[in-house]
Amino acid sequence: MDEGTCGGGTGGQAAAAGVDGPGPPGLRERPRDADEARALQERSAPLVRHDAIDAGAVSLVAGLDVAYSADDDRLAAAAVVLAAPEWEVVDSATAVSRPRFPYVPGLFAFREAPALLEAVAQLGTRPDVLVCDGFGLAHPRRFGLACHVGVALDRPVLGVGKTPFVGRAEEPGRERGAWSPLVDDGEVVGRCLRTRTGVKPVYVSVGHRVDLASAAALTLRMAPRYRLPEPVRQADRLCRERLAAA
DNA sequence: GCGACAG
DNA sequence: ATCTTGTCGC
């Protein structure tokens, strides 16, 4: 593990009171190369669980996102916890480090997950669900970032992507709440969901310990006003801010 | 073989 | 991801 500077946040100063955990082997280490990374994903994919959860009963959600520096090679990860039903920020943490893996479509998690897990470990709050900016099962090997983070933490995680990666979906109805299945290789790997009437839809997929219907319902509840779920918007804002600071 | 390819 | 202003529309 490289050096990494962490910053606690809004709520608890006492670190590590929230989510943490060793998780299964491999997911917290850096693969030697792309082949090893792919093998690790194939080995981990069977561990993903789909559990139905009551989206309306979820009260604490953590949004996760990463920002990259324009000039140097720093990267900042943020985890922001929001409380339903108004989604006000109740806790947050950040971690600054360097990418530990090159950007390769499909191996995205090996780049961002280490810093994200570091930020999550700093939280003083234990969220019911975590939301990643990216995909879960909607991935070539059915093990995208949301699955990687979910299995590593053994916590409920879902992914919300802004642009399609794998699979195809028909254009959902124009109204908020309309959706269509995201299908890849004959398999439903996610859902194309319209969170705002007349606005480009988002792509929801299962990360871990949550099923697709629950993930979509929760995504809609977390996005009462903007296209992206509030936790993701807040995490996006915080990691950029953290990068702007020294 | 060629192009596409989450952030 | 990042480089980047104003502008059209609800």
Side-chain angles (χ1 to χ4, degrees), chain A residues 223-245:
Chain A
R225 178 165 182 193
Y226 298 98
R227 177 165 88 116
L228 295 178
E230 209 55 34
V232 171
R233 296 185 69 244
Q234 292 306 317
D236 176 79
R237 185 196 63 67
L238 182 60
C239 59
R240 294 194 202 210
E241 178 182 290
R242 183 67 169 77
L243 216 45

Side-chain angles (χ1 to χ4, degrees), chain A residues 76-195:
Chain A
V80 182
V81 181
L82 288 73
E86 299 303 317
W87 304 117
E88 70 272 20
V89 176
V90 297
D91 191 14
S92 66
T94 57
V96 176
S97 62
R98 321 283 162 186
R100 291 150 166 91
F101 206 80
Y103 172 67
V104 180
L107 300 181
F108 193 47
F110 295 100
R111 217 172 141 67
E112 302 201 339
L116 286 172
L117 293 173
E118 202 176 330
V120 169
Q122 300 295 317
L123 292 174
T125 311
R126 183 184 176 79
D128 301 314
V129 180
L130 295 90
V131 193
C132 285
D133 183 345
F135 295 104
L137 293 178
H139 175 277
R141 288 166 294 283
R142 308 295 183 253
F143 201 73
L145 178 64
C147 297
H148 192 116
V149 170
V151 173
L153 295 171
D154 193 25
R155 296 286 298 161
V157 179
L158 63 95
V160 177
K162 299 181 286 293
T163 61
F165 181 33
V166 296
R168 71 166 298 279
E170 282 177 23
E171 182 74 13
R174 186 171 183 286
E175 341 70 50
R176 163 180 156 85
W179 60 273
S180 59
L182 176 62
V183 181
D184 181 48
D185 203 23
E187 183 178 359
V188 174
V189 296
R191 194 173 282 194
C192 180
L193 174 67
R194 188 91 65 182
T195 52

